[in-house]
Amino acid sequence: TAQSGGIPTPCAIMTTVWKGASKKIVCNGQAVLTEDSSIFCSHGGTIKPLGTKCITGLGGTLSVGSIEKLTEKAEESKKIEQAVIGDSEVKKVEESTVMARSASQAEDSSIHIQQEKISYDPYALCNYEDCTEREGCEYFLTEVWIDNNSARLASNFKREREIEWEEYERQKEKQMAEAVTGGWRTAAHHLISGNQILLMQREQTKDGEIRFVYGSLVKLANYFGYDVNHAGNGIMLPTNESNFGQKEPLEKAASVYEVMSLSKRQWHVGGHQYTLSKESLERLQLYYQKHPEQYTSNSGGLFFADYVTAVKEEMDKLLIRYSKIRCWKKRKEVWKEKFLQDIHAVSRKVEGYLLRFGNHPRHSFPFFVSKAAVEYAFDLPITIKLVVIYQAAGVLRAKKVQLQRYDGRPVVPKEKEDQVIEGWEKERFIQFCENTIHFCLAEHVAFSFPFEFEEDIGPYIYRMERSSNQKVMDYLRENGNQLMAFIKGCNTSYHATKQVCDRRLERRDE
């Protein structure tokens, strides 16, 4: 309850940003609350926790749990016993109605909150209840809405960043001429998404009213004339061509990898929330431990989840910076300049990380706009052994090849050994293959492997569609990304040469 004039009254929380939270102790991804912490109530006054508490959610009903109930191991997974702060029913103000259309996940939808009356605004960071000028106040009357429009973003980028756009198009034309798997289109990507970030939903009330995490920031943004479609909030990224959906899964993956290796930019697809495999997260965690300077987390241990989470980290800092109750029309121009500088700085930071992809894909961490971009940076093997079995001049041959990726650039095949294998004994062929798991077999070649298939050591066989006059190394050069896509889809792990040979010789004896 809020203490207003000494009389306890039921209250609704105006903002999810607590003052006085601990700067050293984090619980469940949020700063721990102490007896000195406070938050504003919609009816005036403040709310204070009784003792040390842990916030268990920023995306729904605000609740707390006792910090003593947590252990180091269970902190991330255990459901903390909840106790709702104050009355769960927000006091209804009869003369107030705030209506909203549900936030769409589509890239170009527009979302509005239309204030029909002006008695109540959950996003107004001012003492509007006691203000005699609120009915004519431009800030208080500012609506919470976003027109997230990719076409407008692209148009603004081309006009205001003309030199960058022309260079991007020049490079794209050159890169597409080198492509083997096909072309791609350009997507105008919002660095700070209007729909997925700025209008991120916190909760929906029983009356169907939507509450937004950054509603107070959006109100300020609109008051100060911020445009989410301005050129500085955009970057041009490659996306699928019109016939992309008709390709086979392996062809799609190969095309995506080739586009990223040629364009030096991340692959862009629709929404930017995705789920990574346990193995991918482990690789990311190891990378983060080695390079903590690349990302300072604000979420108490959540080092990475997806693009939306990473950008949200930056927006949370902005939300805290602009959470103080004040009269915003006083010194408006000063606050406007400061706010626009701060929100533009977020866009510049994110863009800088996305452009690092061209130097080394992993240097974009933690800002990856798609799951495919994460996989390309962290999941594709750097070096792979391959044995190619083919015919030349009517003779069966085997070629040892090493496929290498350098900083996300096109796959480079290196020949290690080439032998005539016509008439070889089984043992000799097994020793020649060493611990190779992946094999390329020309489609017209009839060859029977002298060892049986085992899931973790193969043989995994990729059928080459190579013309009779095409050299093997030329084929591997042209189809390197497709081979990488094939290899990534195989369920394999590293095994020492002796271990693999012994197992294959043993299975041969059976």
Side-chain angles (χ1 to χ4, degrees), residues 359-373:
N359 298 324
H360 192 301
R362 294 187 177 186
H363 292 173
S364 281
F365 181 84
F367 299 99
F368 294 97
V369 302
S370 65
K371 183 178 180 179

Side-chain angles (χ1 to χ4, degrees), residues 394-418:
V395 178
L396 198 62
R397 303 184 70 92
K399 187 189 294 289
K400 281 185 187 178
V401 178
Q402 187 180 64
L403 298 181
Q404 293 180 312
R405 292 173 63 238
Y406 294 103
D407 299 344
R409 289 168 175 80
V411 176
V412 178
K414 289 189 175 182
E415 183 178 328
K416 295 297 183 180
E417 188 177 354
D418 193 303

Side-chain angles (χ1 to χ4, degrees), residues 26-38:
V26 174
C27 162
N28 200 43
Q30 302 294 328
V32 166
L33 305 182
T34 67
E35 292 182 352
D36 296 328
S37 305
S38 64

Side-chain angles (χ1 to χ4, degrees), residues 265-281:
R265 298 203 177 193
Q266 294 184 25
W267 179 256
H268 183 280
V269 288
H272 307 298
Q273 289 178 300
Y274 41 82
T275 302
L276 298 173
S277 68
K278 178 183 176 182
E279 292 74 21
S280 292
L281 288 172

Side-chain angles (χ1 to χ4, degrees), residues 177-226:
E178 302 172 15
V180 174
T181 59
W184 60 91
R185 294 180 298 169
T186 297
H189 168 69
H190 287 84
L191 299 164
I192 303 174
S193 168
N195 295 334
Q196 290 188 297
I197 304 293
L198 291 176
L199 287 179
M200 180 183 291
Q201 290 191 30
R202 174 163 60 89
E203 64 181 345
Q204 188 167 348
T205 67
K206 293 179 179 179
D207 297 332
E209 178 186 336
I210 297 170
R211 295 293 176 85
F212 300 111
V213 175
Y214 303 113
S216 59
L217 283 183
V218 175
K219 188 176 182 72
L220 281 174
N222 289 337
Y223 178 58
F224 292 137
Y226 173 78

Side-chain angles (χ1 to χ4, degrees), residues 93-94 104 110 130 152 166 259 263 277 307 346 351 394 410-411 433 449 482:
V93 183
E94 292 182 355
S104 168
S110 301
D130 299 323
R152 192 172 303 146
E166 289 179 351
V259 169
S263 70
S277 68
Y307 180 80
V346 174
E351 182 183 25
V411 176
C433 293
F449 282 85
Q482 188 147 334

Side-chain angles (χ1 to χ4, degrees), residues 164-174 186:
E164 293 175 63
W165 170 257
E166 289 179 351
E167 176 61 18
Y168 172 82
E169 284 294 290
R170 187 182 69 79
Q171 291 292 337
K172 177 184 173 184
E173 185 176 345
K174 177 183 177 183
T186 297

Side-chain angles (χ1 to χ4, degrees), residues 63-219:
S63 56
V64 298
S66 173
I67 188 66
E68 290 78 15
K69 291 178 181 282
L70 298 175
T71 65
E72 183 178 354
K73 294 285 186 182
E75 184 172 335
E76 293 182 358
S77 60
K78 183 177 179 182
K79 290 186 178 179
I80 304 168
E81 182 176 311
Q82 296 187 353
V84 178
I85 297 177
D87 195 328
S88 61
E89 288 291 324
V90 177
K91 183 178 179 181
K92 296 180 180 179
V93 183
E94 292 182 355
E95 68 272 24
S96 165
T97 304
V98 180
M99 302 179 66
R101 274 199 291 126
S102 176
S104 168
Q105 293 300 315
E107 184 76 10
D108 296 326
S109 63
S110 301
I111 303 176
H112 259 264
I113 292 181
Q114 177 65 49
Q115 293 176 212
E116 293 187 350
K117 297 188 178 180
I118 61 171
S119 299
Y120 172 65
D121 187 337
Y123 306 116
L125 297 176
C126 63
N127 292 316
Y128 62 88
E129 289 196 341
D130 299 323
C131 181
T132 58
E133 300 178 12
R134 71 179 183 189
E135 293 189 10
C137 176
E138 183 183 353
Y139 167 72
F140 186 71
L141 294 175
T142 297
E143 298 175 358
V144 176
W145 64 276
I146 292 291
D147 179 16
N148 196 91
N149 191 304
S150 292
R152 192 172 303 146
L153 175 66
S155 176
N156 290 339
F157 192 99
K158 293 176 189 177
R159 183 180 66 255
E160 298 175 33
R161 301 172 68 172
E162 183 179 0
I163 295 176
E164 293 175 63
W165 170 257
E166 289 179 351
E167 176 61 18
Y168 172 82
E169 284 294 290
R170 187 182 69 79
Q171 291 292 337
K172 177 184 173 184
E173 185 176 345
K174 177 183 177 183
Q175 294 151 4
M176 287 180 70
E178 302 172 15
V180 174
T181 59
W184 60 91
R185 294 180 298 169
T186 297
H189 168 69
H190 287 84
L191 299 164
I192 303 174
S193 168
N195 295 334
Q196 290 188 297
I197 304 293
L198 291 176
L199 287 179
M200 180 183 291
Q201 290 191 30
R202 174 163 60 89
E203 64 181 345
Q204 188 167 348
T205 67
K206 293 179 179 179
D207 297 332
E209 178 186 336
I210 297 170
R211 295 293 176 85
F212 300 111
V213 175
Y214 303 113
S216 59
L217 283 183
V218 175
K219 188 176 182 72

